[in-house]
Amino acid sequence: MDGLSLDALKQMVQDRLASVSDGQALSDLDAALVRFALASSPFALHPQLSRSTARTALQAGATPAQLHTAVVLVSGVGVHALMEGSRLVDAVCHGPEADAPLSRAQQEIWDRHVGDRRIWKQLDAQVPGFLKSLLRQSPRAFESFFPSMAVAWQEEALTPVQIEMICIALDAMPAQRYGPGLRLHLDAAVGLGAGRRQLLQVLDIAAAALPHPGIP
């Protein structure tokens, strides 16, 4: 499978936003929150930059609750390893059986957590087979996945659009470039009313994210 270069990522975003109206520019507050989230993410974990971007965000009107919710949000980015790893382990270890129907007990758990909910159908479209692979291999991990994904939303410090913009930046930064998540969060942000101009500015901020400096 080919990788996803920065140029290809940017083209993918531009193509996906081709029919989206320009809308407003990114606010100073939203830009500052995105920069802080990137600096605090596992892929950068840059203490000095985290401090300076936190101060800039506070000056732009951010609250301490917003900063901490951003930290909670970016701490969950390791879920992409769960998404890709669950499918990989299932395929390597079980081969054709990886596509076997769920058992009755597994189906009951699936119906309780996934059912016909749109958000999980969208996730399954971008990362096909992940949820069922996770459920087959570890019902406990499967059931833990859903509340862990909901924490940043339940805090209610960041708006839904701010959450999606931070997730877009995380999935577009040079150290990660996770296409499935990027497409999912782009579509969600557009559905929430974000404009093309805002989202391309988020992409530019992500592209300038610094690499991990190491923690002594």
Side-chain angles (χ1 to χ4, degrees), residues 37-154:
L38 289 171
S40 304
S41 76
F43 298 103
L45 208 59
H46 200 300
Q48 183 177 354
L49 186 59
S50 294
R51 291 188 189 95
S52 65
T53 53
R55 294 189 187 102
T56 299
L58 291 170
Q59 291 169 358
T63 66
Q66 286 178 315
L67 293 180
H68 192 261
T69 299
V71 171
V72 171
L73 183 61
V74 301
S75 72
V77 76
V79 74
H80 296 154
L82 183 66
M83 291 175 178
E84 297 301 318
S86 293
R87 296 191 297 174
L88 182 147
V89 171
D90 204 11
V92 169
C93 295
H94 302 114
E97 295 180 10
D99 294 325
L102 297 175
S103 68
R104 171 183 265 183
Q106 290 169 339
Q107 188 64 53
E108 289 176 357
I109 297 172
W110 177 274
D111 292 342
R112 188 160 64 248
H113 291 280
V114 177
D116 292 325
R117 294 174 181 84
R118 182 183 176 193
I119 184 173
W120 305 127
K121 286 186 174 182
Q122 291 172 326
L123 174 61
D124 197 52
Q126 291 298 333
V127 194
F130 154 60
L131 287 171
K132 287 186 177 178
S133 289
L134 180 61
L135 174 55
R136 277 191 290 261
Q137 294 173 101
S138 177
R140 180 178 297 173
F142 178 86
E143 292 192 283
S144 298
F145 169 78
F146 299 94
S148 69
M149 291 296 98
V151 173
W153 296 83
Q154 292 170 341

